[in-house]
Amino acid sequence: MDPRYRRKPPKRPLRLSWADERVRGIVWQILVVGAIGSVIWWLWSNTVHNLEVRRIATGFGFLNREAGLPIAESLIEYDPTHTYFRALLVGVLNTLKVAVVGIVLATILGTLIGIARLSKNYLVAKLSAFYVEVIRDLPLLLQLLFWYTILQGLPGPRQALQPIEGVFLSNRGMKMPALVWENAHTAAMVAFVAGIVLTWLYARQARAKQMADGQPRKVWPAAVALMAGLPVLTWQVMGAPWEIDWPALRGFNFRGGMNISPEYAALLIGLVTYTAGFIAEVVRAGILSVNQGQWEAAQALGLRHGSVLRLIVMPQALRVIIPPMTSNYLNLTKNSSLAVAIGYQDIVSIANTTLNQTGQAIEGIAIIMAVYLSISLSISLFMNWYNAKIALVER
């Protein structure tokens, strides 16, 4: 019989009797929700009462007060006369600076090590396995302290190491030349982002036309023109400014250029090397999940080993790699809170100082929780979208 013409069984009327499973389900749900609500109400009322007894102010009004909090490094302009809100914003940006750069570098390093573990070269495979086993078994905090001690052991500014011209390594950090940023560079950056979007749209259209007529179309000429030519042209039109700020020793420290502090470097190196050990195992497991027949069929067609890995194996392995990779990204982001142990001023460090100065402990902890929750949910949403995009579509 056609399913469209099947008659649905009539619904039984709801009886106010404990023998009816629907009534029991409704009653138990009401009891559970009521119990959870009661616990939340008790916690809230008890907290408010204790704060009133101790005459502790509540609310987020303190965010508009002058912070008086010195911060060593920030991505935006900041000085102690700014508000607590701006100080916390600096902490959020410092956390993102570690998390975003760390995720990119850990993905690259972990992928290379994971592939190296499957190498036919005995030495490369064993060294990669040794790295994974050692790094994953050492506590992350211990690794951060190790790297921070190493960087603090570098000579002072006057005896700074100079591996290449214009780059200095000392216990104050790494000084390097920096481009003096102007409006022309901002416009060129916007043009570069626009070039990426336009290249993606052109590649999508080219694939659609190839599926329609079977004729392949080259995408790289348009990509070069849009991603390289368009920014350079924009930069040229706006005067083509090119001024380099070189670091130079002035007194007891360097002036000018760009500085990477020992705290940031130690935190980044520790997070990247630690997380890369876990990502390497995820990548290795994903590659091994692809049937060996895929390798044999590709090699029978004359494809090189690198081409087989890049064009055939990795696209299939990504469906296994992406879900656990998301967990590693989240772990790296949350592990960045250990920055307080080596003096890097992220959101945890600045929020802790803020709540110690203002006494707004509940608000300070709530801000930290909201920041990490927002970052983690953003990473999860993006990775879930990407995972759905590359998933196999059943017909």
Side-chain angles (χ1 to χ4, degrees):
M1 179 182 293
D2 193 325
R4 293 176 297 178
Y5 299 103
R6 289 179 182 172
R7 297 184 61 184
K8 295 181 180 180
K11 292 184 178 180
R12 292 184 293 114
L14 186 65
R15 294 183 304 154
L16 295 179
S17 171
W18 191 252
D20 195 325
E21 68 276 5
R22 290 176 295 174
V23 172
R24 293 198 303 269
I26 293 173
V27 171
W28 282 116
Q29 292 179 55
I30 293 174
L31 291 176
V32 170
V33 172
I36 295 175
S38 300
V39 171
I40 294 175
W41 177 83
W42 178 82
L43 291 173
W44 174 259
S45 59
N46 189 51
T47 302
V48 172
H49 173 72
N50 290 333
L51 291 174
E52 290 177 351
V53 169
R54 291 164 177 80
R55 297 182 180 179
I56 298 176
T58 58
F60 293 90
F62 71 96
L63 293 176
N64 296 321
R65 289 168 18 205
E66 182 179 319
L69 171 63
I71 299 178
E73 54 185 304
S74 63
L75 293 176
I76 59 177
E77 183 181 356
Y78 174 82
D79 61 69
T81 61
H82 283 120
T83 62
Y84 281 112
F85 176 80
R86 193 170 184 87
L88 293 169
L89 179 60
V90 170
V92 173
L93 294 177
N94 285 346
T95 297
L96 289 174
K97 184 171 70 170
V98 172
V100 173
V101 177
I103 285 174
V104 173
L105 295 181
T107 302
I108 296 173
L109 180 60
T111 302
L112 293 177
I113 295 174
I115 295 173
R117 285 210 62 183
L118 300 174
S119 174
K120 296 180 180 179
N121 186 300
Y122 179 83
L123 181 61
V124 171
K126 292 303 179 183
L127 286 177
S128 302
F130 177 78
Y131 172 89
V132 170
E133 295 301 328
V134 171
I135 288 294
R136 296 202 309 170
D137 291 336
L138 289 176
L140 176 57
L141 180 58
L142 181 62
Q143 296 186 42
L144 294 179
L145 295 174
F146 169 79
W147 289 113
Y148 185 64
T149 304
I150 292 295
L151 296 176
Q152 284 293 312
L154 292 173
R158 297 200 174 196
Q159 296 79 33
L161 305 177
Q162 189 176 2
I164 58 176
E165 184 67 25
V167 177
F168 301 92
L169 295 174
S170 69
N171 56 10
R172 304 289 181 86
M174 181 172 68
K175 277 285 186 178
M176 61 183 66
L179 177 66
V180 178
W181 199 262
E182 298 184 17
N183 292 334
H185 303 117
T186 302
M189 184 64 67
V190 172
F192 176 71
V193 174
I196 293 177
V197 175
L198 293 174
T199 300
W200 176 76
L201 293 174
Y202 178 80
R204 185 176 180 180
Q205 184 181 20
R207 284 195 299 268
K209 290 182 178 179
Q210 181 179 352
M211 294 296 293
D213 57 20
Q215 296 296 323
R217 290 167 176 81
K218 295 182 179 180
V219 177
W220 69 265
V224 171
L226 293 171
M227 297 173 60
L230 184 60
V232 171
L233 179 62
T234 304
W235 176 65
Q236 287 285 347
V237 169
M238 298 191 66
W242 187 263
E243 182 181 353
I244 303 297
D245 185 15
W246 293 88
L249 184 63
R250 298 285 188 272
F252 295 100
N253 203 354
F254 290 97
R255 296 290 184 271
M258 180 179 63
N259 182 60
I260 299 178
S261 67
E263 293 80 12
Y264 175 75
L267 179 63
L268 186 62
I269 294 172
L271 289 174
V272 168
T273 53
Y274 180 76
T275 309
F278 293 89
I279 291 179
E281 288 298 274
V282 171
V283 172
R284 184 175 72 94
I287 294 175
L288 291 176
S289 68
V290 179
N291 194 287
Q292 185 65 26
Q294 300 282 332
W295 290 91
E296 296 171 354
Q299 291 170 354
L301 294 174
L303 294 178
R304 296 182 178 180
H305 187 274
S307 298
V308 177
L309 182 64
R310 179 171 56 89
L311 299 175
I312 298 176
V313 175
M314 285 304 292
Q316 299 180 69
L318 280 177
R319 298 176 177 91
V320 178
I321 291 174
I322 293 301
M325 191 79 82
T326 304
S327 299
N328 285 295
Y329 290 165
L330 296 176
N331 288 336
L332 185 148
T333 302
K334 290 180 286 189
N335 287 336
S336 66
S337 60
L338 294 174
V340 68
I342 57 176
Y344 179 73
Q345 292 176 293
D346 67 336
I347 182 60
V348 175
S349 175
I350 295 176
N352 282 336
T353 305
T354 298
L355 66 89
N356 287 330
Q357 291 181 349
T358 62
Q360 310 287 140
I362 295 178
E363 291 81 356
I365 298 300
I367 290 173
I368 297 175
M369 294 171 60
V371 168
Y372 279 106
L373 180 62
S374 300
I375 297 175
S376 298
L377 288 178
S378 300
I379 294 173
S380 298
L381 287 174
F382 174 78
M383 295 301 291
N384 289 337
W385 169 82
Y386 183 69
N387 186 43
K389 184 178 178 61
I390 65 173
L392 288 174
V393 179
E394 297 183 0
R395 298 182 179 178

